[in-house]
Amino acid sequence: MPPFSFRRHAGWWAAVALLLSLVSLDAQAIPAYARQTGSACADCHAGAYGPGLTPYGMRFKLNGYTDTDGQGTKIPVAVQLTETHTAPATAPSSTSLTEGDLYLAGRLTENVGGYIKVEADHTGHNTYNTRLGNLDLRFVAKELKLGGKDLTLGVSVNNAPGFQDPIAALPNASFIAPGGVTGTLLNLGSPNSPTNRVIGATVYALYDKVWYAEAGTYRSLAAGTQDELGYNRNGDPGKLSDTGYFRFAYMKDMRRQFFSAGLVGLTTKRRLPHAAARDDIDDLGYDLTYQYLGNREHIIQASYVNIYERRDYGQRLPSPVLPGTLEPKRGSARDQTASLSYTFRQSYGVQLSHLKSTGSSSDARYPPFGNPDATSNLYTIFWTPFGRDDSWITKGNLKLAATWFRFTRFNGRGSNVFGAPPGVKGVDPGDFNAFSISASLAF
């Protein structure tokens, strides 16, 4: 009986490694912001290192990253280095400097600020790929009044729909998303996701400190531009046109508690590849977030995100099961994420996430079973010794984390997910499990 082949399924392992890194590495507080505002990292982030934002951190983001302590100009630069040991269930373990990041982040003028991440990702054999990460440049008008109520107006130019969201609940802002063979456009873990491969602009407003609204548009970057920015052309999201994005949310800061409820939508026409027939795609989702902040000794956060995608395919594929027939013209996908985290004294924490990706059946698009459903869980414990007002380093940060990424279902099955024939050892969802220990230093 042939053994499990790591090489044969290297593509899936790479996808799993990416999802693991999204959770364990991209959750960062940026010391450049702490130096600019005079506040400790823990003032903006529930766990001192992120990614969860406190209401204070949400306001800083809404204000275009421009708030300052008024003590002169600060250099808007920060650096992050991450060392990781990864132990997959059935693949070789590895230890390496997995990522080095440069942040150009902070205030340019009273009304202009931003966030630019340039990252160097380890690709094996002591080689690194440098690419442009998240981008969010803002112009904001603050301290306005409308009907006697506070009003903030802003414009965001960004490259990942949802990254600019102040609540940080959407996948591109929380860095937590389901993985599988399908997924919505708003899910950074989906195949051919537009994350960081598009450019767009949105206009947003916060009224009476509780009502948030945002609308804008995006277009995909040319394949050659993506390549120049460090992205493999195999992940090209295709040619997007007539793209619209909206976000509405109710945000209630109750000092010791915070609650939000939001809606998000994305509609586009996509050609993948660029010469293919056009697919009409519409995403619509909702999210709920609750934070118990108390006196910051015990912080609890719970969130739930549910995004549904409707697809009208430009081309009907021949059915591999019923020769002479065509598969349905319409399809769908759904991504759901439920997360619960607890942080003690903004230093010690645990996070549990349940991730589920489902979609309509298609024998042609999702071989071998025609079922794209996938379910996974993330379990993370972490320690952040710095970044608080009472720590000896308040403008720098360190995060030590242990993460277990566990699949329970893949390709709609709990075993033999690639349909190995009798006598051949199959691949089970648990074969994609991985455990990692990481140390991230930001200064």
Side-chain angles (χ1 to χ4, degrees), residues 149-304:
K149 305 290 187 179
D150 291 332
L151 175 67
T152 298
L153 293 175
V155 176
S156 167
V157 176
N158 61 83
N159 64 351
F163 174 75
Q164 76 279 20
D165 183 55
I167 303 172
L170 301 180
N172 274 324
S174 68
F175 303 109
I176 300 178
V181 297
T182 190
T184 65
L185 287 179
L186 289 170
N187 175 3
L188 73 168
S190 300
N192 302 99
S193 166
T195 300
N196 298 348
R197 295 172 180 262
V198 298
I199 190 68
T202 61
V203 178
Y204 66 89
L206 179 68
Y207 179 66
D208 196 22
K209 299 181 180 180
V210 295
W211 298 105
Y212 179 78
E214 180 180 8
T217 187
Y218 291 87
R219 69 175 182 85
S220 54
L221 299 174
T225 302
Q226 295 178 44
D227 185 57
E228 292 172 356
L229 293 177
Y231 290 91
N232 191 307
R233 296 194 184 199
N234 292 334
D236 181 11
K239 183 178 180 180
L240 306 180
S241 61
D242 300 332
T243 303
Y245 173 87
F246 78 84
R247 175 76 160 134
F248 299 113
Y250 173 78
M251 306 164 56
K252 183 63 175 178
D253 180 6
M254 298 169 280
R255 296 184 180 275
R256 296 172 66 91
Q257 301 178 81
F258 171 84
F259 170 77
S260 71
L263 295 173
V264 63
L266 180 70
T267 180
T268 191
K269 303 181 187 302
R270 178 168 75 171
R271 297 181 186 272
L272 180 65
H274 288 231
R278 186 187 68 191
D279 300 332
D280 293 339
I281 302 176
D282 300 302
D283 284 14
L284 181 63
Y286 68 91
D287 57 283
L288 303 169
T289 297
Y290 171 78
Q291 284 184 352
Y292 172 77
L293 297 163
N295 61 3
R296 305 298 176 93
E297 182 172 12
H298 304 280
I299 297 178
I300 299 172
Q301 177 167 318
S303 64
Y304 175 70

Side-chain angles (χ1 to χ4, degrees), residues 72-142:
T73 302
K74 311 296 194 306
I75 299 176
V77 176
V79 175
Q80 177 179 254
L81 301 174
T82 302
E83 181 86 7
T84 305
H85 173 76
T86 303
T90 54
S93 299
S94 64
T95 302
S96 63
L97 181 65
T98 49
E99 187 175 335
D101 304 315
L102 174 66
Y103 298 96
L104 305 176
R107 170 191 174 107
L108 294 180
T109 71
E110 182 179 353
N111 304 102
V112 178
Y115 174 107
I116 301 174
K117 177 182 179 183
V118 179
E119 58 186 79
D121 302 313
H122 185 252
T123 56
H125 306 292
N126 296 319
T127 60
Y128 289 81
N129 175 58
T130 301
R131 65 178 184 175
L132 175 67
N134 291 115
L135 166 75
D136 183 15
L137 306 178
R138 300 197 181 211
F139 171 83
V140 62
K142 300 173 284 187

